[in-house]
Amino acid sequence: MINFQYARANDVAEAVRLIGRSPNAKFIAGGTNLIDLMKMDVEQPTTIVDITRLPLKQIEGMPAGGLRIGALVRNTDLAYHPLVEQRYPVLASAIMAGASQQLRNMASTGGNLLQRTRCHYFYDTAATCNKREPGSGCSAIDGHNRMHAILGASETCIAVHPSDMCVALAILEAKVHVTGVSGDRVIAFADLHRLPGDTPQRDTSLNADEIITAVELPPQGFAKNYTYLKIRDRLSYAFALVSVAVGLELDGDIIKEARFALGGVAHKPWRDPQAEAALRGQPAVATTFVSAANVLLRDAKGYGRNTFKIDLARRGIVRALTQAARGTPQSQSSKKII
Ligand code: SF4
């Protein structure tokens, strides 16, 4: 590990000022990703700005019915908050599917959004990796790419975003509040994470001087017909091969409103307006779900070892939509299909 300066911010303005002082400064909150990256020599910050004392730890109901989640709310506290459990159970379920209890106890809401890919070549400084060292090449495209992207990838990077929580936030159409030297702004969740294109080193649309202060949830939480299905190599402490977050609104057997997003398949949580449109106004039956899955996966592409994910995603979508329509969300402890 390299030497670095440590600075503690006492308010958001000071945090923005401190991060702006050094081009290679990093915020630290839970530290559940950054410390690993520093140990592996992937991140080499010159300054660490400690933001753990900022007043961003509240979960507040909003007048219009939504929820405002401070960026420093721990993942565990968010998953077990009564308003989240009651009104946004898909979010609670997704959080509980991620990492381990110890990590969820430390990880912050803002940090979960900004965690970096777990592509093993990204963490291996002996391997070429365009995300770590732009222009050096991508070891994964012709390498061990079992965990990698099947949608939205580019010739420079086929990494996936590792978060479970973000897949749920995508269907909830959360808004991300940020502050920087130019002031405050709000980013639609769909615009926060980027596809790799030819600049895979940039994960998000945040500017270097900006800090996430809160995540806002709109009132609609899909508390009745939802699921978060995570398919992985073992039951806990594993990243998704494919995950599916679903929120449905039903009128009898007819789908009035439908949202679904996939994790583990792209550089960002993957939503497709055309696939969701294929569900609206249709009966909530298997043939409808298969059609929507086929729409979403129409441009899916495998890279050899991960090609199985295309079929896995298709079956995962159908299963998740079935579970949500029947009101039988995925349990993280019981894998019985109802
Ligand atoms: Fe690096 Fe992306 Fe290629 Fe992984 S997939 S080696 S992160 S460029």
Side-chain angles (χ1 to χ4, degrees):
M1 199 187 288
I2 56 150
N3 289 328
F4 56 86
Q5 300 287 314
Y6 170 85
R8 179 185 291 153
N10 291 304
D11 56 40
V12 171
E14 188 179 18
V16 169
R17 198 164 57 248
L18 288 169
I19 205 80
R21 269 194 205 157
S22 161
N24 203 19
K26 295 281 177 196
F27 291 126
I28 191 162
T32 54
N33 191 201
L34 180 63
I35 299 299
D36 285 346
L37 290 162
M38 290 172 67
K39 285 179 180 171
M40 305 289 283
D41 220 18
V42 177
E43 296 274 14
Q44 299 159 332
T46 48
T47 304
I48 294 287
V49 180
D50 181 347
I51 56 170
T52 54
R53 301 204 179 178
L54 302 188
L56 304 174
K57 297 173 183 162
Q58 303 299 317
I59 299 175
E60 299 163 309
M62 299 180 71
L67 209 62
R68 184 181 171 99
I69 303 156
L72 291 177
V73 172
R74 304 286 186 192
N75 287 186
T76 300
D77 294 334
L78 182 57
Y80 287 128
H81 193 280
L83 289 176
V84 175
E85 287 182 324
Q86 288 158 23
R87 288 163 44 186
Y88 305 97
V90 68
L91 178 58
S93 181
I95 293 170
M96 294 308 289
S100 66
Q101 188 62 60
Q102 290 91 339
L103 287 166
R104 294 191 293 269
N105 288 346
M106 286 301 294
S108 66
T109 299
N112 193 313
L113 270 54
L114 299 180
Q115 64 179 300
R116 308 210 68 187
T117 184
R118 296 315 198 277
C119 170
H120 32 269
Y121 297 111
F122 178 62
Y123 287 75
D124 177 2
T125 53
T128 58
C129 171
N130 288 320
K131 186 179 279 296
R132 180 170 27 79
E133 197 179 332
S136 64
C138 171
S139 295
I141 287 180
D142 295 317
H144 290 274
N145 50 39
R146 184 170 179 272
M147 300 297 291
H148 287 71
I150 54 171
L151 289 161
S154 73
E155 288 177 2
T156 62
C157 181
I158 59 171
V160 298
H161 194 266
S163 171
D164 293 290
M165 184 170 92
C166 289
V167 187
L169 291 175
I171 67 160
L172 293 171
E173 297 189 344
K175 294 174 188 161
V176 183
H177 292 251
V178 306
T179 299
V181 290
S182 307
D184 302 337
R185 67 183 177 119
V186 180
I187 305 172
F189 200 80
D191 298 329
L192 177 67
H193 298 104
R194 300 176 67 253
L195 292 179
D198 56 7
T199 52
Q201 67 274 23
R202 290 197 60 209
D203 294 344
T204 72
S205 57
L206 281 187
N207 296 319
D209 60 83
E210 287 181 317
I211 180 171
I212 295 176
T213 55
V215 173
E216 180 186 332
L217 301 182
Q220 191 172 27
F222 300 99
K224 193 166 171 214
N225 292 99
Y226 74 93
T227 199
Y228 185 71
L229 171 65
K230 181 173 182 179
I231 303 167
R232 48 187 158 169
D233 285 328
R234 56 175 184 257
L235 188 56
S236 70
Y237 199 41
F239 292 100
L241 290 163
V242 172
S243 68
V244 191
V246 179
L248 299 176
E249 241 186 76
L250 300 177
D251 183 1
D253 285 341
I254 302 299
I255 301 168
K256 265 176 63 186
E257 172 63 347
R259 295 189 201 157
F260 70 106
L262 268 60
V265 300
H267 205 253
K268 61 187 290 185
W270 192 265
R271 263 184 86 188
D272 184 330
Q274 289 185 50
E276 292 177 0
L279 293 169
R280 288 189 198 104
Q282 301 299 315
V285 295
T287 48
T288 304
F289 302 152
V290 170
S291 299
N294 287 337
V295 172
L296 184 135
L297 293 164
R298 62 196 179 282
D299 295 324
K301 177 184 170 189
Y303 292 84
R305 292 173 195 241
N306 71 343
T307 305
F308 75 98
K309 278 189 171 189
I310 299 172
D311 229 33
L312 187 65
R314 182 174 291 110
R315 286 184 275 119
I317 291 167
V318 173
R319 175 168 156 178
L321 288 166
T322 306
Q323 286 176 181
R326 293 182 185 173
T328 56
Q330 176 81 357
S331 162
Q332 298 309 319
S333 56
S334 165
K335 295 294 170 185
K336 187 175 165 193
I337 303 171
I338 301 171

